[in-house]
Amino acid sequence: MIPDQGTLQETTPVRLLISLHESSQTGILYFRQNEILKVFYLNRGRISWAISSDEGDRIDHVLLARKLIAPEILAPYQAGNKIAETFGKVLVENGAISLDVLIQATREQVRRVAFSVMRWSSGSFQMVAEAPPNRLVSLDLDIAALVSEYVLGQMDVNIAWEELGSLSGELQHDSGSDRARLYALDAEQQEVLSRFSEPRRLEAVLLDFPAERKHRVLKVLYFLLLAGLLKKREPEKSTQIDFKELDSLFGQDLGEAPAEVDIEMPAMID
């Protein structure tokens, strides 16, 4: 069981988020790394809102990047040194953007905040079991879908390989488990999971797929392990991970992997 607070060296952000998804937690989740604080409001295991003290997470950056507002329209509202938490509301009230545009930009903003946290390998977290503040709009974002999107689209494949371990290890699917109902697996994930009607070695599974899909399949396997839909059966004798072990399968090097909680609330940016 994952504790209510700890370090991200002990509990990775993706593992923590998946645990909160599975237990349908409601509360406020704080992540801190140095002076940066990112906060998620959770409602029954889904993200209803997020705020961040990181200047890079500002809503105006999202609006401009997605071309949802013209720079000359936004400029007068950026005159201050800081953008307040009600900045999006101010834009709507002044007719600079519509409420639908604000919701679209805010969903993208929360995705970016979540993906940035999932890249953290150091820092701390704290989960507080209290009702999040009421907001005009609840985004109701699926945590499992966000984690899956991050793993498949942004995570370094070496992280997946280190988690999976040696090619000689076996993976197995507990077909009697009801965990699958917690995850809306896409067609690709279901295809990979279907290869485990019986325990199979990682090497044998990778050989089922063409070379150009193998890195992505490794990430799918990592997500299925994270979700508890697959389990590892370690070889009797542990072996040191050797990245050259994959040369015959991938035909190229994978490269190098990227490398008490006392929360104080800084000024937050919406």
Side-chain angles (χ1 to χ4, degrees):
M1 182 177 178
I2 291 178
D4 291 336
Q5 61 179 350
T7 69
L8 300 181
Q9 293 93 329
E10 298 168 331
T11 305
T12 62
V14 290
R15 231 172 256 289
L16 174 61
L17 289 169
I18 284 292
S19 174
L20 296 173
H21 159 75
E22 291 186 346
S23 56
S24 298
Q25 287 286 332
T26 293
I28 306 175
L29 175 62
Y30 300 87
F31 287 98
R32 178 182 286 282
Q33 187 181 76
N34 300 321
E35 298 304 313
I36 299 297
L37 180 66
K38 305 197 180 193
V39 183
F40 296 89
Y41 300 155
L42 305 182
N43 183 28
R44 297 181 180 179
R46 300 174 72 89
I47 297 175
S48 59
W49 203 265
I51 52 178
S52 169
S53 65
D54 189 346
E55 290 287 310
D57 293 331
R58 293 181 354 180
I59 190 69
D60 59 324
H61 294 170
V62 177
L63 288 165
L64 291 172
R66 298 292 296 271
K67 296 183 173 23
L68 296 173
I69 192 172
E72 59 271 19
I73 294 177
L74 183 63
Y77 301 96
Q78 295 176 298
N81 292 329
K82 289 188 177 181
I83 293 180
E85 187 176 341
T86 57
F87 182 69
K89 182 181 177 183
V90 169
L91 292 177
V92 172
E93 290 176 345
N94 284 273
I97 59 174
S98 68
L99 180 59
D100 286 343
V101 166
L102 176 61
I103 293 172
Q104 179 183 347
T106 303
R107 290 179 70 87
E108 175 62 22
Q109 180 190 31
V110 172
R111 287 175 66 256
R112 293 184 180 197
V113 174
F115 292 160
S116 68
V117 163
M118 285 186 247
R119 286 192 289 270
W120 286 4
S121 58
S122 63
S124 58
F125 71 88
Q126 182 175 3
M127 178 68 188
V128 179
E130 64 182 53
N134 291 327
R135 303 298 298 245
L136 178 63
V137 176
S138 177
L139 299 175
D140 198 35
L141 296 177
D142 183 84
I143 289 178
L146 283 174
V147 171
S148 175
E149 184 180 352
Y150 167 75
V151 168
L152 294 177
Q154 299 190 25
M155 192 188 76
D156 191 307
V157 71
N158 284 338
I159 296 175
W161 172 238
E162 289 186 22
E163 176 67 22
L164 290 162
S166 169
L167 289 172
S168 61
E170 285 188 334
L171 299 172
Q172 63 182 25
H173 170 45
D174 182 4
S175 57
S177 172
D178 62 352
R179 295 180 66 86
R181 65 181 176 78
L182 299 173
Y183 297 90
L185 300 181
D186 61 25
E188 181 181 38
Q189 292 164 342
Q190 291 180 32
E191 176 194 11
V192 174
L193 186 61
S194 70
R195 305 300 172 108
F196 295 93
S197 56
E198 59 184 26
R200 297 188 66 192
R201 291 179 58 190
L202 176 57
E203 180 181 27
V205 174
L206 290 174
L207 288 172
D208 288 346
F209 298 92
E212 63 271 16
R213 290 190 62 190
K214 287 182 172 36
H215 283 182
R216 188 169 176 87
V217 169
L218 276 174
K219 291 185 176 185
V220 172
L221 290 170
Y222 172 86
F223 176 75
L224 295 174
L225 274 174
L226 197 64
L229 299 174
L230 284 179
K231 297 186 182 299
K232 288 191 293 186
R233 290 202 335 183
E234 300 292 348
E236 291 184 5
K237 183 178 181 181
S238 61
T239 57
Q240 186 74 22
I241 292 177
D242 182 0
F243 290 102
K244 293 182 180 179
E245 192 174 17
L246 289 178
D247 285 352
S248 61
L249 293 172
F250 292 89
Q252 59 183 354
D253 292 335
L254 292 177
E256 295 184 359
E260 257 115 45
V261 183
D262 183 14
I263 299 293
E264 293 182 3
M265 180 74 75
M268 305 307 291
I269 296 167
D270 196 353

